[in-house]
Amino acid sequence: MLDIHKIRAEFPILSQKVNGKPLVYFDNGATSQKPQVVIDAISKYYQEINANIHRGVHTLSQLATDAYEISRVKIQHHINAKHLHEVLFTSGTTHGINLVANGFASILKPGDEVLVSALEHHSNIVPWQMLCEKTGATLKVIPMNQDGELIISAYESLLSEKTKIVTVNHISNALGTINPIKYMIEKAHAVGAAVLIDGAQAVPHLKPDVLDLDCDFYAFSGHKMCGPTGTGILYGKESWLNKLPPYQGGGEMIKEVTFEKTTYADLPHKFEAGTPNIAGGIVLGTAVDYMNSIGFENIQKQEKALLAHATKQLLEIEGLKIYGTGKEKTSVISFNIDGIHPFDIGSIIDKLGIAVRTGHHCTQPIMNYFGIPGTVRASFSFYNTIEEIDLMVEAVKKAKIMLS
């Protein structure tokens, strides 16, 4: 059982007021809040070991390098990667997806196919559209149903020897749907296709086991799991990372440079050009340690209770509809009220201290499918409470009265 009051005391921002009201932060799908241990770790780096890494022989550089590489080891263990060099530091999920899409430009040809799902964030659609425009490959879409679930029979029908890569999110940011990715990976591999999983929305809620999933790539961001912004990880199977060309050229990613020819560094440095976000990379390891100290079983239990309570309470509001009612989903609720624009609801409840997200959530194809301009999205984390949900529900009721 989580000591929720102790946990909340570890997040300084949660004790403040917004518009004169206690902050209720339900925008965790966009970014999570940061515990004091993460905030302190950022300061500690800059105060004590700030130096560039990998290339310096002086003491501070060696200390910073050690801390950075220890963080890589923590993340390797967290996701159960087979090799340390399969863990690449990135600036976030978008960076990781673009790195892979750029690499596939040297692999795809006209007639090849790329499969994306109808549930994807724009960052897992646009890079593949750009890739297909560049290579002449065809982008195909795995359809969804009214519950916000992928139609797996349609996915199976789309797979063929033309399919070269399947890219799908682990959890939908807009609807909270948990996709059956292990089965989808198995089916893709049966036709020889690679699979990239967008894990941005999954890592705050669960520990991905990349060996068990057998995915070829898994990308996620640090800032959604209590870590700093501008941090992320791309896991890639060694065989694939050796096959793909570098994404960027510059320092760090080279073995030898002459004006006639450059040879590239071994993994992982082949894909880590330039000075990275050193503090962010180190502190991402701190955030992973913190999440594991809470325990993902405890996190899931707390968030499941929050989701169930919020769903029940919101559905008692006349005219309110929830989008994303799949059997497997995480602690995200997207909803609208008949005749009221979601932006108006979000604006009013913000005045009451309730932070939610409104709009299309970078998933315009999902909104187009439902024929709506957007939704109000409340996304919960383990540090949220039942009492906060009750405050949100009352705020939504007040907003409805004001806007009706």
Side-chain angles (χ1 to χ4, degrees), residues 173-383:
N173 73 299
L175 305 179
T177 307
I178 303 174
N179 288 314
I181 59 169
K182 187 172 182 179
Y183 180 80
M184 295 178 75
I185 291 164
E186 179 186 332
K187 287 296 181 181
H189 286 170
V191 298
V195 182
L196 180 145
I197 301 299
D198 171 354
Q201 294 295 327
V203 292
H205 309 292
L206 54 84
K207 287 179 70 166
D209 185 331
V210 295
L211 281 184
D212 179 62
L213 291 171
D214 196 29
C215 55
D216 301 288
F217 305 97
Y218 195 101
F220 63 92
S221 301
H223 72 96
K224 296 182 191 292
M225 56 179 303
C226 297
T229 56
T231 63
I233 295 295
L234 174 67
Y235 159 80
K237 283 183 180 175
E238 179 184 52
S239 56
W240 272 109
L241 294 179
N242 281 327
K243 190 180 302 185
L244 298 185
Y247 179 47
Q248 294 175 310
E252 187 74 14
M253 52 74 66
I254 55 87
K255 191 171 284 184
E256 184 176 355
V257 174
T258 69
F259 283 112
E260 288 72 37
K261 183 174 176 60
T262 293
T263 54
Y264 304 126
D266 295 331
L267 297 174
H269 305 298
K270 170 184 170 183
F271 292 103
E272 294 182 349
T275 299
N277 180 355
I278 301 169
I282 292 170
V283 178
L284 179 53
T286 305
V288 166
D289 284 344
Y290 178 79
M291 296 287 284
N292 281 314
S293 74
I294 300 296
F296 280 86
E297 286 186 6
N298 293 326
I299 287 170
Q300 289 166 10
K301 185 176 181 180
Q302 172 73 358
E303 293 175 349
K304 184 177 181 180
L306 294 170
L307 177 64
H309 184 73
T311 302
K312 180 177 183 296
Q313 295 299 313
L314 286 170
L315 286 176
E316 290 179 1
I317 299 174
E318 187 177 353
L320 187 144
K321 178 177 180 178
I322 291 176
Y323 297 88
T325 54
K327 298 178 189 67
E328 297 291 332
K329 66 175 290 185
T330 194
S331 51
V332 172
I333 298 182
S334 279
F335 66 90
N336 282 332
I337 297 176
D338 287 345
I340 303 176
H341 197 283
F343 177 83
D344 295 334
I345 297 172
S347 297
I348 288 177
I349 68 174
D350 174 62
K351 302 300 182 188
L352 300 171
I354 316 293
V356 295
R357 183 136 307 228
T358 64
H360 54 65
H361 318 299
C362 293
T363 57
Q364 285 181 306
I366 292 178
M367 302 304 145
N368 291 340
Y369 174 83
F370 287 116
I372 54 178
T375 65
V376 180
R377 184 188 70 183
S379 48
F380 315 125
S381 184
F382 61 90
Y383 46 67

